[in-house]
Amino acid sequence: MSELLTSAMTAQQASQCLGVYFCAADGEDEILPNYTVDLTDDHTTAFLRRLLTADVKELPTGGVIQSFVLNALGLVTDFVTVAHVQEKHYRIIFQSIDTLAWMHQVAKAFDVDLIEPKVHSAVIFGSKRQELFSVLPNRCAEVEHDGEKLLVIALPNRSIVQGAASAIDALKSDKTLSLDAMAVNSLLILANEPHALDWMSGDVTPTAIGGAQYLNFNDPARMFIGRALTEARYRAETPKKAVVLQSHDDQPEAWFDDPKTVTIAAPDGTPLYKTTRVGMLGNALIARAALDQSFDSGKCLWIYADNDDNVAFRVDCLSN
């Protein structure tokens, strides 16, 4: 069995039980960097309400939200997780080192100090992850595991666990599957979350990648960075949904030999979405796409160029 197929099979197995990915330290992880900042100042809420598309004012202690970071043009620069750990303690986990520089720049105007804790991270996937830590989705909690203290940040389809190196190392067990980067890429797609790979090759807006759920316009006085253009686009566009599609391609490994842009198309071949962010779950290619809410996802075609000819396959929808 090839290394690629082994990763794909492991990803599929982990999705049905429990898999752990141990992130490389200091942001050196190629697929899932976890830059981490703690904020504990009185002006933290105001600062985060300016920086993020989600609104932390509505986040209770112990709550977790995810959000985009945008530039002034309303284009996505990062996707972050925010945990309200204690009354005035917020932890922000993000993917891009540029966000750290951006946060330092914006923080000056709010008299906020950024604390960069020396923590190690692991990410837990699978339907049985609550058997390891019984923290409900969109909640965070400080727990003990094998005598070690950990912060567990539970998201709808995965959990982030942070602590000292020894605490993270203690997660290794014969009850969990150890995941490599390829398996994690596939599981992140299956989790139906935005990722840096969605905007690495070009400028995208939140709605273009099915991220409307991470936008909060409820308070008209809150002007987060990029809001004006983002809200105008949001009001003008047809609402989209983010879906995970599985291709019927009977030679899935061949795509990775020469990766090409995948076009998700209507039955008549009209392009609906394009992506190079492709994973493999078991024996099938998977991808995340943003489609009009009224469109029947199961009728899509999966198209890419093969030796100058386009090949098309039917799809199954793994999420709605």
Side-chain angles (χ1 to χ4, degrees), residues 32-49:
L32 198 58
N34 281 276
Y35 297 99
T36 301
V37 164
D38 284 336
L39 299 172
T40 59
D41 296 284
D42 291 338
H43 303 296
T44 291
T45 301
F47 167 65
L48 291 176
R49 296 188 80 208

PDB file of all heavy atoms in Angstrom, residues 32-49:
ATOM      1  N   LEU A  32      -1.021  22.751   9.522  1.00  0.00           N
ATOM      2  CA  LEU A  32      -1.868  23.263  10.590  1.00  0.00           C
ATOM      3  C   LEU A  32      -1.044  24.031  11.621  1.00  0.00           C
ATOM      4  O   LEU A  32      -0.927  23.613  12.774  1.00  0.00           O
ATOM      5  CB  LEU A  32      -2.623  22.113  11.268  1.00  0.00           C
ATOM      6  CG  LEU A  32      -3.842  22.491  12.102  1.00  0.00           C
ATOM      7  CD1 LEU A  32      -4.864  23.235  11.253  1.00  0.00           C
ATOM      8  CD2 LEU A  32      -4.472  21.256  12.720  1.00  0.00           C
ATOM      9  N   PRO A  33      -0.470  25.151  11.228  1.00  0.00           N
ATOM     10  CA  PRO A  33       0.272  25.963  12.201  1.00  0.00           C
ATOM     11  C   PRO A  33      -0.671  26.498  13.264  1.00  0.00           C
ATOM     12  O   PRO A  33      -1.829  26.822  12.984  1.00  0.00           O
ATOM     13  CB  PRO A  33       0.859  27.090  11.354  1.00  0.00           C
ATOM     14  CG  PRO A  33      -0.045  27.180  10.180  1.00  0.00           C
ATOM     15  CD  PRO A  33      -0.530  25.783   9.908  1.00  0.00           C
ATOM     16  N   ASN A  34      -0.213  26.568  14.494  1.00  0.00           N
ATOM     17  CA  ASN A  34      -1.040  27.062  15.584  1.00  0.00           C
ATOM     18  C   ASN A  34      -0.312  28.174  16.325  1.00  0.00           C
ATOM     19  O   ASN A  34       0.224  27.969  17.407  1.00  0.00           O
ATOM     20  CB  ASN A  34      -1.395  25.915  16.544  1.00  0.00           C
ATOM     21  CG  ASN A  34      -2.522  25.052  16.028  1.00  0.00           C
ATOM     22  OD1 ASN A  34      -3.681  25.356  16.201  1.00  0.00           O
ATOM     23  ND2 ASN A  34      -2.161  23.967  15.359  1.00  0.00           N
ATOM     24  N   TYR A  35      -0.243  29.353  15.714  1.00  0.00           N
ATOM     25  CA  TYR A  35       0.286  30.509  16.420  1.00  0.00           C
ATOM     26  C   TYR A  35      -0.715  30.885  17.507  1.00  0.00           C
ATOM     27  O   TYR A  35      -1.932  30.925  17.256  1.00  0.00           O
ATOM     28  CB  TYR A  35       0.487  31.679  15.466  1.00  0.00           C
ATOM     29  CG  TYR A  35       1.500  31.415  14.383  1.00  0.00           C
ATOM     30  CD1 TYR A  35       1.104  31.044  13.100  1.00  0.00           C
ATOM     31  CD2 TYR A  35       2.867  31.522  14.633  1.00  0.00           C
ATOM     32  CE1 TYR A  35       2.033  30.803  12.097  1.00  0.00           C
ATOM     33  CE2 TYR A  35       3.803  31.290  13.638  1.00  0.00           C
ATOM     34  CZ  TYR A  35       3.378  30.923  12.372  1.00  0.00           C
ATOM     35  OH  TYR A  35       4.290  30.683  11.383  1.00  0.00           O
ATOM     36  N   THR A  36      -0.217  31.160  18.698  1.00  0.00           N
ATOM     37  CA  THR A  36      -1.106  31.367  19.837  1.00  0.00           C
ATOM     38  C   THR A  36      -0.768  32.660  20.572  1.00  0.00           C
ATOM     39  O   THR A  36       0.399  32.954  20.840  1.00  0.00           O
ATOM     40  CB  THR A  36      -0.999  30.178  20.813  1.00  0.00           C
ATOM     41  OG1 THR A  36      -1.339  28.972  20.136  1.00  0.00           O
ATOM     42  CG2 THR A  36      -1.938  30.357  22.000  1.00  0.00           C
ATOM     43  N   VAL A  37      -1.820  33.408  20.897  1.00  0.00           N
ATOM     44  CA  VAL A  37      -1.672  34.658  21.644  1.00  0.00           C
ATOM     45  C   VAL A  37      -2.727  34.679  22.751  1.00  0.00           C
ATOM     46  O   VAL A  37      -3.888  34.295  22.530  1.00  0.00           O
ATOM     47  CB  VAL A  37      -1.853  35.882  20.725  1.00  0.00           C
ATOM     48  CG1 VAL A  37      -2.082  37.151  21.526  1.00  0.00           C
ATOM     49  CG2 VAL A  37      -0.638  36.056  19.819  1.00  0.00           C
ATOM     50  N   ASP A  38      -2.331  35.142  23.933  1.00  0.00           N
ATOM     51  CA  ASP A  38      -3.260  35.377  25.033  1.00  0.00           C
ATOM     52  C   ASP A  38      -3.443  36.876  25.227  1.00  0.00           C
ATOM     53  O   ASP A  38      -2.477  37.652  25.132  1.00  0.00           O
ATOM     54  CB  ASP A  38      -2.733  34.769  26.334  1.00  0.00           C
ATOM     55  CG  ASP A  38      -2.892  33.257  26.378  1.00  0.00           C
ATOM     56  OD1 ASP A  38      -3.772  32.734  25.667  1.00  0.00           O
ATOM     57  OD2 ASP A  38      -2.138  32.603  27.128  1.00  0.00           O
ATOM     58  N   LEU A  39      -4.675  37.286  25.514  1.00  0.00           N
ATOM     59  CA  LEU A  39      -5.003  38.677  25.791  1.00  0.00           C
ATOM     60  C   LEU A  39      -5.749  38.741  27.120  1.00  0.00           C
ATOM     61  O   LEU A  39      -6.734  38.007  27.319  1.00  0.00           O
ATOM     62  CB  LEU A  39      -5.881  39.257  24.677  1.00  0.00           C
ATOM     63  CG  LEU A  39      -5.265  39.269  23.266  1.00  0.00           C
ATOM     64  CD1 LEU A  39      -6.311  39.689  22.249  1.00  0.00           C
ATOM     65  CD2 LEU A  39      -4.080  40.218  23.218  1.00  0.00           C
ATOM     66  N   THR A  40      -5.299  39.621  28.004  1.00  0.00           N
ATOM     67  CA  THR A  40      -5.913  39.713  29.336  1.00  0.00           C
ATOM     68  C   THR A  40      -6.178  41.158  29.755  1.00  0.00           C
ATOM     69  O   THR A  40      -6.488  41.410  30.915  1.00  0.00           O
ATOM     70  CB  THR A  40      -5.007  39.041  30.387  1.00  0.00           C
ATOM     71  OG1 THR A  40      -3.717  39.680  30.391  1.00  0.00           O
ATOM     72  CG2 THR A  40      -4.825  37.548  30.090  1.00  0.00           C
ATOM     73  N   ASP A  41      -6.063  42.109  28.847  1.00  0.00           N
ATOM     74  CA  ASP A  41      -6.211  43.528  29.186  1.00  0.00           C
ATOM     75  C   ASP A  41      -7.683  43.945  29.221  1.00  0.00           C
ATOM     76  O   ASP A  41      -8.564  43.284  28.651  1.00  0.00           O
ATOM     77  CB  ASP A  41      -5.469  44.396  28.166  1.00  0.00           C
ATOM     78  CG  ASP A  41      -3.978  44.152  28.193  1.00  0.00           C
ATOM     79  OD1 ASP A  41      -3.318  44.644  29.117  1.00  0.00           O
ATOM     80  OD2 ASP A  41      -3.473  43.452  27.285  1.00  0.00           O
ATOM     81  N   ASP A  42      -7.940  45.086  29.849  1.00  0.00           N
ATOM     82  CA  ASP A  42      -9.305  45.604  29.942  1.00  0.00           C
ATOM     83  C   ASP A  42      -9.891  45.945  28.576  1.00  0.00           C
ATOM     84  O   ASP A  42     -11.108  45.918  28.398  1.00  0.00           O
ATOM     85  CB  ASP A  42      -9.333  46.860  30.829  1.00  0.00           C
ATOM     86  CG  ASP A  42      -9.071  46.540  32.294  1.00  0.00           C
ATOM     87  OD1 ASP A  42      -9.278  45.379  32.693  1.00  0.00           O
ATOM     88  OD2 ASP A  42      -8.652  47.459  33.032  1.00  0.00           O
ATOM     89  N   HIS A  43      -9.021  46.277  27.607  1.00  0.00           N
ATOM     90  CA  HIS A  43      -9.497  46.695  26.286  1.00  0.00           C
ATOM     91  C   HIS A  43      -9.496  45.544  25.265  1.00  0.00           C
ATOM     92  O   HIS A  43      -9.649  45.783  24.071  1.00  0.00           O
ATOM     93  CB  HIS A  43      -8.640  47.845  25.756  1.00  0.00           C
ATOM     94  CG  HIS A  43      -8.594  49.028  26.673  1.00  0.00           C
ATOM     95  ND1 HIS A  43      -9.709  49.774  26.967  1.00  0.00           N
ATOM     96  CD2 HIS A  43      -7.575  49.588  27.383  1.00  0.00           C
ATOM     97  CE1 HIS A  43      -9.386  50.750  27.805  1.00  0.00           C
ATOM     98  NE2 HIS A  43      -8.093  50.647  28.081  1.00  0.00           N
ATOM     99  N   THR A  44      -9.335  44.317  25.760  1.00  0.00           N
ATOM    100  CA  THR A  44      -9.238  43.164  24.856  1.00  0.00           C
ATOM    101  C   THR A  44     -10.481  43.014  23.991  1.00  0.00           C
ATOM    102  O   THR A  44     -10.391  42.781  22.780  1.00  0.00           O
ATOM    103  CB  THR A  44      -9.007  41.873  25.657  1.00  0.00           C
ATOM    104  OG1 THR A  44      -7.689  41.915  26.229  1.00  0.00           O
ATOM    105  CG2 THR A  44      -9.126  40.649  24.769  1.00  0.00           C
ATOM    106  N   THR A  45     -11.656  43.147  24.608  1.00  0.00           N
ATOM    107  CA  THR A  45     -12.898  42.969  23.840  1.00  0.00           C
ATOM    108  C   THR A  45     -12.998  43.975  22.707  1.00  0.00           C
ATOM    109  O   THR A  45     -13.334  43.625  21.564  1.00  0.00           O
ATOM    110  CB  THR A  45     -14.124  43.083  24.764  1.00  0.00           C
ATOM    111  OG1 THR A  45     -14.045  42.080  25.783  1.00  0.00           O
ATOM    112  CG2 THR A  45     -15.409  42.864  23.974  1.00  0.00           C
ATOM    113  N   ALA A  46     -12.705  45.216  22.995  1.00  0.00           N
ATOM    114  CA  ALA A  46     -12.760  46.250  21.953  1.00  0.00           C
ATOM    115  C   ALA A  46     -11.761  45.961  20.843  1.00  0.00           C
ATOM    116  O   ALA A  46     -12.062  46.147  19.648  1.00  0.00           O
ATOM    117  CB  ALA A  46     -12.484  47.623  22.580  1.00  0.00           C
ATOM    118  N   PHE A  47     -10.572  45.496  21.216  1.00  0.00           N
ATOM    119  CA  PHE A  47      -9.549  45.166  20.233  1.00  0.00           C
ATOM    120  C   PHE A  47     -10.003  44.039  19.314  1.00  0.00           C
ATOM    121  O   PHE A  47      -9.912  44.141  18.082  1.00  0.00           O
ATOM    122  CB  PHE A  47      -8.267  44.771  20.980  1.00  0.00           C
ATOM    123  CG  PHE A  47      -7.216  44.117  20.129  1.00  0.00           C
ATOM    124  CD1 PHE A  47      -6.592  44.793  19.100  1.00  0.00           C
ATOM    125  CD2 PHE A  47      -6.837  42.793  20.369  1.00  0.00           C
ATOM    126  CE1 PHE A  47      -5.619  44.189  18.319  1.00  0.00           C
ATOM    127  CE2 PHE A  47      -5.868  42.185  19.601  1.00  0.00           C
ATOM    128  CZ  PHE A  47      -5.263  42.881  18.569  1.00  0.00           C
ATOM    129  N   LEU A  48     -10.541  42.969  19.894  1.00  0.00           N
ATOM    130  CA  LEU A  48     -10.968  41.819  19.086  1.00  0.00           C
ATOM    131  C   LEU A  48     -12.200  42.150  18.243  1.00  0.00           C
ATOM    132  O   LEU A  48     -12.369  41.611  17.148  1.00  0.00           O
ATOM    133  CB  LEU A  48     -11.247  40.623  19.988  1.00  0.00           C
ATOM    134  CG  LEU A  48     -10.017  40.010  20.668  1.00  0.00           C
ATOM    135  CD1 LEU A  48     -10.424  38.885  21.608  1.00  0.00           C
ATOM    136  CD2 LEU A  48      -9.022  39.493  19.626  1.00  0.00           C
ATOM    137  N   ARG A  49     -13.044  43.025  18.725  1.00  0.00           N
ATOM    138  CA  ARG A  49     -14.210  43.423  17.934  1.00  0.00           C
ATOM    139  C   ARG A  49     -13.797  44.223  16.703  1.00  0.00           C
ATOM    140  O   ARG A  49     -14.523  44.256  15.704  1.00  0.00           O
ATOM    141  CB  ARG A  49     -15.189  44.244  18.776  1.00  0.00           C
ATOM    142  CG  ARG A  49     -15.802  43.473  19.932  1.00  0.00           C
ATOM    143  CD  ARG A  49     -16.895  44.275  20.600  1.00  0.00           C
ATOM    144  NE  ARG A  49     -18.136  44.187  19.852  1.00  0.00           N
ATOM    145  CZ  ARG A  49     -19.061  45.139  19.849  1.00  0.00           C
ATOM    146  NH1 ARG A  49     -18.847  46.293  20.492  1.00  0.00           N
ATOM    147  NH2 ARG A  49     -20.182  44.979  19.163  1.00  0.00           N
TER     148      ARG A  49
END
